[in-house]
Amino acid sequence: MEAWVRFSAQSAAKERVFRAAQYACTLLGYTMQKNGASAELLARIKQLEAHMSLGRKLFRLGNSAEALEAAKRAIHLSDMVLRFCITVAHLNRAMYFACDNILWAGKTGLVPHADQEKWSQRSFRYYLFALIMNLSRDAYEIRLLMEREASGKRPKGTENGHQAQVDNGLQHLALRLRIQLRLLGHVLRSNPPLLLDLVKNACDIFIPLDKLGLYKTSPGFVGLCGLTSSILSILTIVHPQHRYRSELLKEPKKQQQSREDRFGLQASSWVGAAARKMKMLNCRERESCLYMRASGFSAVGCEAVQGETSILQKMLQQSIQPMNSLIRHQRTQLPVAAFSC
Amino acid sequence: MLPDVYRHLCAFLDVRYRTEDPHSNQSKWRGLHSPAMNMFIRAAQYACMLLGHVLERQAGPGAARAALRQLEASMSSGRKLFRLGNMVHAMVAARQTIQLPDLVPRICLTASNLIRALYFICDTVLWLKSVGLLPHIYKWKWRNWATKCYYYSLLMNLTRDLYEISWLLEQAAEKEKAKENSFPWDTQDQDLICLETERQSQPFLPLLYCTLKKHPPLLLDTTKNLCDLSSPLDRLGIYKTNPGIIGLCGLLSSLVGILTIAKPHLKLK
């Protein structure tokens, strides 16, 4: 019960639940019509749907200015493509909410001569543009992630390409397409929030496409798409870790500090390995001395700055050189050269 | 200019419009916080009621009155829709108040929350009737029960407020007595002692006012409950007033509610 209280305290939560219920009514009405239900039942379902739509419109009265605020904030983003996509998406949403407010005023009788059909079409047009911008943003992010993945792996593709040039141009194309699809699948699987966002926007886009007459589907399909996208957005409210945050706009890691950390940790692990070797050769004194040095290295490594790496190198060489002479017969040389950085 | 006004209003209402990521375009569209929006719409609804009554008195055009009535009805039904899950809120609140340390607030608040849960159940049934899903129920009977539940829960809240006020007055009186007992050590200020004895026979209302001024949450809560009481008193026929008074009282209690949401430290714990 406490979970429901926490959930409904969030602003958009109840609205999403009623949206899901509204589209479920659409789907139910269509299914019942197909199965030959009575006109009275269909009328009742339609009345419920209209009631929920009007109630939701009432509670959305402030969202237009909210979207304008979000657009104003999005102008300061660093990446240009993202800045454009997100700002335009927010502006279109603001216009959609403004048209929605006028529709509400018309339905409640404040503005009785408002042309409901015209304003409804306008609102769906702005909604469509906003969704197109969202999808382009998702596509841009996916493309960048795919490029990052492809450049991270070894260039297997070029080798295959050289081989396939011998065979056939079409096979080469099919192979490339398969590689791209596999890469896409990998990117989407490792980024579930992005996948969720993409599916949600893709489901949502069928609603204005149907209402504007650009791609007519059945009311049942529209209801199903709306229900799916509402459930997915409720999921992102309930589990905030599934909310998508752009990879590009995350803060870059502090490379300098981590390198020093790695340096110190690697040094300590290698010296620790050397100490274990000493133990094997029953040189207890050397072993304890090396363990002390290992722990000292890890402490120093974390605080090391550029100038002190030479000191670290000297310390390592002092401890490793005599060990190398001892264990040379085992052909295990500790990699001192790797410390040249 | 309008977005600026809205921004200041949002900041005032502590709305989290500074979300974690400004670059997100997902549909976690942060509209106004739900309870705040509900209070705004309630204030607008009662303002419509007041305005409608004023226009009626001035014999204004019928179209304006009809439009206001329709607007009020649509706001009321929209709010009823968004009240649908609130019985759970009331049960959770009852579970929390049953753990209060003092006996009288514990009993009063728990009873109030349980009765409020019953009110929300009646409200849900009335909504189902208004939507057409339960056509064969007696609307007046359920509305009567809902009004009675609301009335009793308000009475419980007021009892708790009166208990707190009496406790505070007792504390103030004891403090006065303690101050008075310390004065006999100082024999030079005879006229000051006279002033003290005079203050003891002070009339009740200014003392009450001073006490309440020091404790704004209690004052706000008492005002809200007293204002809310006007509507059920009228509906149950105990103290009939006109829609203008009900509208005014409702507007006042909604404004107090908005203030409590905006400044959480003004909420009575």
Side-chain angles (χ1 to χ4, degrees):
Chain A
M1 280 212 298
E2 275 86 357
W4 167 256
V5 172
R6 266 198 310 271
F7 172 73
S8 63
Q10 302 188 48
S11 55
K14 262 191 181 173
E15 202 255 337
R16 294 280 113 188
V17 170
F18 288 126
R19 183 178 191 252
Q22 187 185 328
Y23 281 110
C25 284
T26 317
L27 181 61
L28 193 68
Y30 177 73
T31 327
M32 292 201 140
Q33 196 178 23
K34 281 280 174 190
N35 293 345
S38 67
E40 193 204 327
L41 186 63
L42 289 173
R44 238 183 254 175
I45 291 175
K46 257 201 165 48
Q47 192 191 2
L48 180 64
E49 193 191 323
H51 185 82
M52 281 201 259
S53 165
L54 200 61
R56 273 179 62 221
K57 278 197 190 357
L58 172 70
F59 273 77
R60 279 204 306 232
L61 282 178
N63 283 12
S64 182
E66 182 70 28
L68 281 174
E69 265 300 306
K72 244 177 35 177
R73 275 179 291 134
I75 279 179
H76 302 298
L77 290 173
S78 48
D79 188 272
M80 204 173 66
V81 175
L82 277 184
R83 193 193 310 168
F84 174 73
C85 284
I86 295 174
T87 312
V88 173
H90 280 309
L91 286 173
N92 277 310
R93 264 183 42 224
M95 292 304 299
Y96 162 68
F97 284 128
C99 296
D100 202 51
N101 293 347
I102 294 171
L103 276 173
W104 175 83
K107 284 211 172 105
T108 52
L110 270 181
V111 182
H113 355 275
D115 189 355
Q116 293 272 320
E117 196 51 45
K118 187 176 81 173
W119 284 104
S120 172
Q121 292 284 308
R122 271 191 198 159
S123 75
F124 278 120
R125 217 174 295 153
Y126 288 121
Y127 186 43
L128 179 68
F129 292 151
L131 284 172
I132 289 173
M133 283 290 121
N134 285 351
L135 281 172
S136 355
R137 178 259 175 118
D138 284 337
Y140 175 69
E141 297 256 0
I142 287 174
R143 217 203 77 191
L144 279 175
L145 283 171
M146 276 169 66
E147 274 174 16
R148 212 184 270 180
E149 278 288 326
S151 63
K153 290 185 181 160
R154 269 179 256 125
K156 264 188 258 174
T158 50
E159 293 172 17
N160 287 341
H162 280 306
Q163 283 178 357
Q165 254 179 4
V166 181
D167 302 318
N168 196 356
L170 202 65
Q171 270 187 0
H172 170 63
L173 205 66
L175 189 69
R176 274 186 69 181
L177 192 68
R178 246 210 331 256
I179 292 172
Q180 291 291 321
L181 281 173
R182 210 175 290 170
L183 203 57
L184 176 70
H186 177 77
V187 158
L188 286 176
R189 242 176 312 166
S190 52
N191 263 308
L194 178 58
L195 176 65
L196 216 66
D197 196 38
L198 184 68
V199 171
K200 197 151 56 77
N201 290 324
C203 282
D204 270 336
I205 208 164
F206 285 107
I207 301 168
L209 282 178
D210 179 79
K211 294 273 162 62
L212 290 171
L214 294 168
Y215 182 66
K216 276 257 169 222
T217 50
S218 65
F221 185 67
V222 166
L224 183 67
C225 287
L227 182 63
T228 317
S229 79
S230 307
I231 290 174
L232 289 176
S233 59
I234 289 171
L235 191 70
T236 54
I237 293 174
V238 171
H239 294 292
Q241 65 264 23
H242 291 308
R243 224 171 267 170
Y244 182 59
R245 277 147 181 68
S246 173
E247 289 289 326
L248 301 168
L249 298 167
K250 280 188 183 157
E251 279 198 5
K253 287 185 195 146
K254 294 190 172 64
Q255 298 287 330
Q256 187 74 12
Q257 200 172 359
S258 70
R259 201 174 111 240
E260 308 304 337
D261 276 341
R262 267 201 328 263
F263 187 103
L265 283 169
Q266 264 184 349
S268 71
S269 68
W270 281 333
V271 176
R276 282 193 290 279
K277 280 261 184 269
M278 288 291 116
K279 193 174 170 184
M280 268 167 48
L281 299 169
N282 288 322
C283 300
R284 293 215 176 244
E285 275 178 16
R286 287 271 189 193
E287 175 202 334
S288 54
C289 162
L290 277 169
Y291 270 130
M292 271 167 52
R293 289 230 183 202
S295 54
F297 284 159
S298 59
V300 169
C302 291
E303 293 167 353
V305 289
Q306 201 71 33
E308 292 179 10
T309 49
S310 53
I311 303 171
L312 262 173
Q313 275 182 329
K314 253 190 217 153
M315 279 169 71
L316 272 163
Q317 275 173 354
Q318 278 168 7
S319 47
I320 286 168
Q321 287 287 35
M323 277 190 316
N324 274 337
S325 60
L326 267 170
I327 60 177
R328 204 172 291 141
H329 66 281
Q330 296 217 355
R331 275 185 237 136
T332 48
Q333 289 260 341
L334 289 171
V336 183
F339 286 113
S340 58
C341 46
Chain B
M1 192 214 122
L2 199 59
D4 277 326
V5 168
Y6 185 80
R7 192 163 45 105
H8 289 307
L9 194 62
C10 286
F12 175 67
L13 286 173
D14 193 35
V15 164
R16 287 170 292 144
Y17 74 91
R18 264 184 205 288
T19 57
E20 310 90 57
D21 30 15
H23 50 273
S24 168
N25 60 348
Q26 281 189 321
S27 37
K28 50 176 176 75
W29 300 343
R30 283 182 199 269
L32 276 181
H33 193 45
S34 234
M37 193 65 183
N38 186 42
M39 277 293 157
F40 266 125
I41 295 173
R42 186 175 188 250
Q45 186 185 331
Y46 281 112
C48 283
M49 200 190 272
L50 177 63
L51 201 62
H53 179 75
V54 164
L55 283 181
E56 211 171 288
R57 291 276 288 273
Q58 290 181 356
R65 264 180 285 147
L68 277 173
R69 215 168 292 148
Q70 198 182 353
L71 182 63
E72 192 199 318
S74 98
M75 283 202 235
S76 164
S77 74
R79 273 182 60 227
K80 250 201 220 346
L81 175 72
F82 272 75
R83 273 208 296 249
L84 278 182
N86 281 11
M87 70 191 85
V88 180
H89 287 247
M91 298 295 286
V92 168
R95 205 195 280 182
Q96 284 173 351
T97 52
I98 216 164
Q99 293 163 0
L100 286 174
D102 293 328
L103 184 66
V104 176
R106 194 194 316 166
I107 294 175
C108 289
L109 285 178
T110 313
S112 157
N113 281 322
L114 288 173
I115 298 172
R116 215 156 55 101
L118 289 174
Y119 162 69
F120 284 128
I121 293 172
C122 297
D123 202 48
T124 308
V125 170
L126 282 170
W127 178 80
L128 288 170
K129 161 83 182 175
S130 76
V131 154
L133 287 175
L134 283 180
H136 314 294
I137 63 159
Y138 291 117
K139 189 172 179 182
W140 60 269
K141 198 167 73 172
W142 284 91
R143 179 169 280 182
N144 204 20
W145 283 345
T147 317
K148 274 193 187 147
C149 289
Y150 188 51
Y151 176 60
Y152 291 134
S153 90
L154 280 178
L155 283 182
M156 289 283 114
N157 282 340
L158 270 173
T159 316
R160 184 261 180 128
D161 286 336
L162 286 172
Y163 169 76
E164 297 270 350
I165 290 173
S166 71
W167 188 76
L168 281 173
L169 285 175
E170 242 179 66
Q171 289 256 300
E174 272 176 24
K175 220 184 268 179
E176 292 295 317
K177 226 187 241 178
K179 254 192 230 163
E180 192 209 287
N181 286 337
S182 67
F183 263 108
W185 304 111
D186 199 353
T187 47
Q188 291 174 0
D189 295 58
Q190 292 284 341
D191 32 359
L192 211 62
I193 295 172
C194 290
L195 265 170
E196 282 304 310
T197 46
E198 247 174 53
R199 261 174 66 179
Q200 269 205 341
S201 53
Q202 208 177 31
F204 174 69
L205 278 173
L207 184 64
L208 180 68
Y209 173 68
C210 286
T211 319
L212 284 177
K213 218 170 70 166
K214 283 186 207 153
H215 295 92
L218 185 58
L219 174 66
L220 287 175
D221 198 54
T222 315
T223 320
K224 187 168 188 289
N225 287 325
L226 282 171
C227 290
D228 278 337
L229 210 55
S230 66
S231 168
L233 282 176
D234 179 76
R235 279 231 190 105
L236 292 172
I238 299 171
Y239 183 66
K240 282 233 168 255
T241 50
N242 52 45
I245 304 265
I246 299 172
L248 185 65
C249 291
L251 183 62
L252 199 61
S253 90
S254 309
L255 289 174
V256 168
I258 291 171
L259 190 65
T260 321
I261 294 173
K263 309 265 180 195
H265 64 268
L266 287 175
K267 193 168 171 57
L268 187 65
K269 303 286 182 291

